Amino acid sequence: MSTTEPRVAIVTGGSRGIGRQVAERLAADGMAVVVNYAGNQAEADAAVAAITERGGRAIAVRADVADLDAVANLFDTAERTFGGVDVVAHLAGVMTAPTPIADTDFEVLDRVHRTNIRGTFAVAQQAAKRVRDGGAVIMTSTSVLGLNLPGYGVYNATKGAVEAITMILARELRGRDITVNTVAPGPTATALFLDGKDQETIDRMAQQPPLERLGQPEDIAEVVAFLAGPARWVNGQVLRANGGIV
């Protein structure tokens, strides 16, 4: 890659929520962006349009992150379109309504496991093979993991796995000058967080951090951009972006 070519970022789950903000922020930082989405093409096209209207370069690519062939094609498309991959921001993930372990439906467990663990492993595997030296891989966990709240057994189990994958991949890429880190957001005002919660619950959670507000997708995008760009001495870490809850 010549010094005049932009860095290239793949953003999984990049069509909405935190993922979209990350895609737009990395594009604003001068990267060409591959916006990955699972099913909502209209949202993905809107994310691409928002980037290109500001003079950036972006394409949308559909891929189920738990499908190994689809993930390989995602990276193939990035390389074919923009010449390579320098940054992988893995924001795709699912969660379920809090449920005690004793009452957990194993079909729900398998669904969340498939996306959050298998999907992360599939993306990590391709990133290990494809990201160019000097690049960055950013995964996504949750600050809820440190709170051990009742009802979050399924979700926390999958995000604990994400953090383990992050730490091991960082060490397996020794000598490549590729950083691997995880961002662990606290309560953030996205559809994923807000859906199914009444206003009283939302207000109570907004008062938890000393900053007394919910995080915004832009807050998390700022951290991802830091790890994707200037943070070359931050490696194998979990950054808990939560306003001071934990």
Side-chain angles (χ1 to χ4, degrees), residues 41-236:
Q41 184 175 346
E43 292 276 10
D45 289 344
V48 169
I51 292 169
T52 57
E53 286 168 4
R54 297 186 181 98
R57 300 173 67 196
I59 59 171
V61 179
R62 182 173 184 171
D64 172 358
V65 293
D67 182 325
L68 303 185
D69 291 338
V71 174
N73 179 67
L74 172 64
F75 279 75
D76 287 343
T77 303
E79 291 174 343
R80 186 167 57 248
T81 305
F82 295 125
V85 178
D86 302 286
V87 172
V88 174
H90 179 45
L91 282 298
V94 297
M95 68 181 303
T96 185
T99 305
I101 290 171
D103 300 326
T104 294
D105 181 332
F106 272 65
E107 289 186 3
V108 173
L109 172 64
D110 290 344
R111 178 174 60 83
V112 178
H113 180 289
R114 183 180 185 277
T115 297
N116 291 3
I117 300 181
R118 180 184 169 93
T120 297
F121 218 101
V123 171
Q125 185 176 74
Q126 289 298 318
K129 297 176 179 179
R130 310 282 198 111
V131 170
R132 295 185 282 205
D133 292 1
V137 180
I138 303 103
M139 304 297 188
T140 314
S141 180
T142 174
S143 285
V144 174
L145 191 59
L147 298 176
N148 295 310
L149 297 176
Y152 283 82
V154 170
Y155 188 60
N156 278 20
T158 65
K159 291 304 185 178
V162 170
E163 294 191 9
I165 293 167
T166 297
M167 302 308 170
I168 291 169
L169 184 61
R171 286 150 181 79
E172 290 180 347
L173 296 183
R174 175 181 291 274
R176 295 274 305 280
D177 188 27
I178 296 172
T179 61
V180 186
N181 295 287
T182 283
V183 176
T188 305
T190 65
L192 184 69
F193 170 77
L194 296 173
D195 285 352
K197 294 183 176 68
D198 59 34
Q199 192 60 46
E200 181 182 354
T201 299
I202 293 169
D203 292 343
R204 184 178 70 254
M205 297 185 78
Q207 291 302 309
Q208 287 181 334
L211 297 179
E212 295 186 334
R213 67 174 177 85
L214 293 177
Q216 296 298 316
E218 295 86 349
D219 294 319
I220 312 306
E222 185 81 18
V223 179
V224 174
F226 170 67
L227 294 173
R232 300 308 305 165
W233 197 234
V234 180
N235 190 31

Side-chain angles (χ1 to χ4, degrees), residues 10-52:
I10 291 174
V11 181
T12 70
S15 64
R16 55 194 300 227
I18 294 172
R20 175 163 176 174
Q21 287 299 320
V22 167
E24 293 188 22
R25 173 56 193 269
L26 296 183
D29 286 347
M31 298 186 197
V33 178
V34 178
V35 177
N36 159 252
Y37 68 101
N40 194 325
Q41 184 175 346
E43 292 276 10
D45 289 344
V48 169
I51 292 169
T52 57

